[in-house]
Amino acid sequence: MSNLTITLDRRRAAVFAADVAGYSRLMGADEIGTISALKNMFSAVMEPMIQEAGGRVVKIAGDAVLAEFGAAPSAVNCAVEIQRKIAERNTAIDPERRIEFRIGVNVGEIVAQGEDIFGDTVNIASRLEGISEPGGLAISRRVMDTLTETALAFESLGERRLKNIAQPVEVFRLATGRPPRALEPNTLTLPQRPSIAILPFENRTGDADQLYFAEGLAESIIIDLSRFRALLVIARHASFAYRSDNADPTEVGRRLGVRYVLTGSLWQSASRLRLNIRLSDAETGRTIWTSRREFEKDDLFRMQDALTSDIVAALPDRMEADWLEKSRRKRADNFVAYDYALKAWDLLYTHGGEEHAAIRSLVKQALALEPGYAQAQAMLAYTWMLTWFRNQDPMALDAADREAARGVMLDPAEGWCHFVRGYVSLYHHRYDEAETHYERAIELNPNDAQLLSEMGALKKYLGESEEAIDWIRQALRLNPTRNAWIWHEMGLALITARRPDEAVEAFAKVQPPLPFDDIYVAICKAKTGAIGEARALARKVMMARPDITVRGWATREPYYESSDLEDFLDGMRLAGFPEE
């Protein structure tokens, strides 16, 4: 047996970490173009400028760059010059297609093995990069103390408890003077990949009570198609603003920014269903493909799989064949169980979380008929979370944890099971576990606007507010209308990013306002100095909910970084909410 000797070298160095803001959004819009532009950025800007400044490129992985410098000022000056150069190159590029980097710099002892480097100093630099704005730079107090002769202006973000770092780190952000970028695109640019909106199917049964079924079937097709990374699929909330019976495909395409529109109508008798489908080119209004299917209700799920395959095949653009098989979900074999689940989803969409007990009853009936129905199991866990949000009963949170774990066991390839498992883990403060499940959920459902928005919410709680805003912007692209919840999450992310003026604008787009939004707006008003307006809103809240207190809210919000929680609670105090 040969002896393997591993040589480790410990030395002091400045670590430069960078990655691309909104990388998954850019890849989704134009994968080949993004990869090409990124390679050019690395070879023409990043690598030569790092070497010229005396640094060493340690590795480039995907959209991330890790570099080592002998001194912190050299790393900082290089980062600033790189951002300036990239900004110049971006002036002639559509804002939605620009490649912008976030950069973090830290200094301290590193451990080197061969060409690679490790240790807390490296990990902190990577976490600082997540705090940086797109086109910006974040540094640690250790780095700041080395900048004794610099004209650069930095602003303190206070001490931050960075993920998986034992001690808090005081963070400084470069004051760029640039106006913040728009939170949503002014125009919906057509992506390079095929894009589609599925409208709610027209209910031709003659029974208004069956509308939920026609819409639920259309949503099932949205979910199936959303698993294709090569597609951009508009979210249910946006596409369901239009109706199949009177939709103009060209108008829908223009408003939602898609190339194709799918419409349909459904007839239902005692045991049979008939479905007519039409796929239209949104630019010309021309019909590309039609399908008429009549089948027994017991054949519904087989028909859905076949329909997904046919829609993909009908699109003029080539699709990845392997995603067809991956798009097939484990469904309920029992039609009645499926029907109960559709009714539960309809109740959730119609009433939000207010009817959580009724939703739970429907889901339990579905599971009684089909115990292995993973999607229904995920919703059962979700209803317990809705109950916990309203009464803070620890038993409800424990029930959500138990049911969410069962969902992932039933189907590890179901994105919503992973999302709910991650969601529950977040509120149990199991942050690594939460992040793992959120990432898996999006890997399985890359076009699910709600999952993208929820990933933004997670990143906000982890202290990565600028990355959170990127995820939420992606959700807005998939859901340009009827997106009150997404704007709600944007407002919360902007509070964490210490951008209260913009947060107020985001909450103004939440129509009708969601529960507790007046609390968040009051915090923002207080932070901007509008104390009178803040306290008027706080009084309004306390008249309706006298149980709202600063201490009570502190137990509700799962912020990883104590500084983010304290900033939030200080806003409540400024607005006049009672301590307890």
Side-chain angles (χ1 to χ4, degrees), residues 513-523 534 537-538 540-541 577:
L514 295 174
F516 304 129
D517 274 3
D518 280 345
I519 297 175
Y520 305 131
V521 175
I523 290 170
L537 276 171
K540 175 184 170 184
V541 170
F577 288 99

Side-chain angles (χ1 to χ4, degrees), residues 26 44 51 86 92 113 126 139 181 214 222 253 270 290 305 340 342-343 351 379 382 394 414 416 428 527 553 558 568:
L26 292 164
Q51 292 169 4
I86 291 174
Q113 180 183 344
S126 296
I139 64 174
R181 59 186 176 147
I222 290 174
T290 61
D305 286 337
Y340 276 128
L342 289 187
K343 288 177 180 176
H351 298 285
M379 184 181 284
Y382 191 63
E414 172 53 54
W416 260 81
H428 271 101
K527 292 287 186 181
W553 216 260
F568 185 95

